[in-house]
Amino acid sequence: MSKVISAHAVSVDGYITGREPGAGRGLGDGTMLFDWYFDGDTRSQVFDGFKLSGPSARLFDALAGRVGALVAGRNTYEDSDHFGGGGPHPTARPFILSHRPAPEMTERQTLVTTGIEDAVAAAREAAGGRDVFLMGGGVVTAALKAGLVDEVVLHQVPVLLGGGRPFFQALPEHVRLRLIEAVPAPGVTHLHYAIER
Ligand SMILES: NC(=O)c1ccc[n+]([C@@H]2O[C@H](COP(=O)([O-])OP(=O)(O)OC[C@H]3O[C@@H](n4cnc5c(N)ncnc54)[C@H](OP(=O)(O)O)[C@@H]3O)[C@@H](O)[C@H]2O)c1
């Protein structure tokens, strides 16, 4: 059974962007969240141009290799300049969750306006047995509320950004996590959790 997983680069105070992210501005003043993608000596086997430290490359490529399809929130899609008409992963089909039309979308992208359950179901079907990745704090929170998330990964970067978009938004009740793996690496600590049900 394929899993639903969310992995984000996040500050120690819980932000996945800095202040003022947006189209043409990326993560705003939080671009250091992605420094560990490029400041190592080990090439990613999945993402062209990524050079990570050895421990980060092992974990990152293992996760990236699991992805069959992804669900991204509308903010992620907009702030990433519509993924250039493709997707944020080299092979995974992107499903964009929104309440609004998106006439500029290409045939490589799918808009879902009927909720998180439908978006995850469509992505699961497209994933062909591989995993579904969630991108964006709003989408992750919607999926947690719906009980759809199996695992979360915090690529925790040692900075307090002080503001930005949070990884996790308000939830109606506690969600218990079980640590699968903690990997310290240069410039980032990878914390991989399973959701307890
Ligand atoms: N640090 C990292 O690793 C990382 C990874 C991914 C993204 N990001 C960044 O995170 C930021 C986006 O995160 P975010 O939390 O602001 O937003 P998000 O989750 O990307 O998008 C939120 C939007 O998704 C739509 N949405 C969410 N739940 C929905 C539901 N149940 N039904 C229908 N539509 C729903 C809504 O769009 P509408 O308003 O159109 O209805 C909502 O405003 C971006 O700047 C992105 O670049 C960072």
Side-chain angles (χ1 to χ4, degrees):
M1 178 69 169
S2 76
K3 292 195 168 163
V4 176
I5 181 167
S6 183
H8 286 61
V10 61
S11 65
V12 172
D13 52 350
Y15 295 105
I16 57 172
T17 73
R19 295 180 182 84
E20 297 189 23
R25 298 192 305 276
L27 299 183
D29 73 357
T31 52
M32 79 284 284
L33 289 177
F34 290 159
D35 282 355
W36 59 278
Y37 286 166
F38 306 108
D39 58 11
D41 56 8
T42 308
R43 286 188 187 284
S44 169
Q45 302 300 305
V46 183
F47 279 78
D48 267 356
F50 281 36
K51 280 187 85 178
L52 308 103
S53 70
S56 286
R58 276 190 293 283
L59 181 133
F60 181 82
D61 278 357
L63 287 171
R66 292 171 50 176
V67 187
L70 58 91
V71 177
R74 183 67 179 263
N75 293 352
T76 297
Y77 168 76
E78 297 294 346
D79 294 357
S80 306
D81 302 308
H82 304 162
F83 305 129
H89 183 280
T91 55
R93 185 167 183 89
F95 292 79
I96 318 303
L97 184 61
S98 180
H99 297 93
R100 300 170 281 136
E104 76 287 351
M105 212 162 266
T106 69
E107 73 284 350
R108 295 166 61 198
Q109 305 170 329
T110 304
L111 178 70
V112 179
T113 58
T114 50
I116 187 68
E117 288 88 351
D118 285 350
V120 169
R124 258 196 219 283
E125 193 167 329
R130 299 174 87 82
D131 291 343
V132 171
F133 264 54
L134 306 175
M135 293 185 68
V139 158
V140 176
T141 303
L144 283 166
K145 286 180 181 168
L148 291 169
V149 184
D150 297 301
E151 297 174 19
V152 290
V153 179
L154 283 72
H155 303 295
Q156 195 187 68
V157 175
V159 61
L160 300 172
L161 286 174
R165 304 263 175 83
F167 193 157
F168 302 104
Q169 301 173 3
L171 291 167
E173 55 192 20
H174 298 169
V175 176
R176 291 207 174 267
L177 309 176
R178 176 175 51 80
L179 184 66
I180 297 174
E181 188 180 24
V183 179
V188 61
T189 299
H190 307 282
L191 299 167
H192 187 172
Y193 294 97
I195 306 291
E196 298 259 77
R197 292 216 172 79

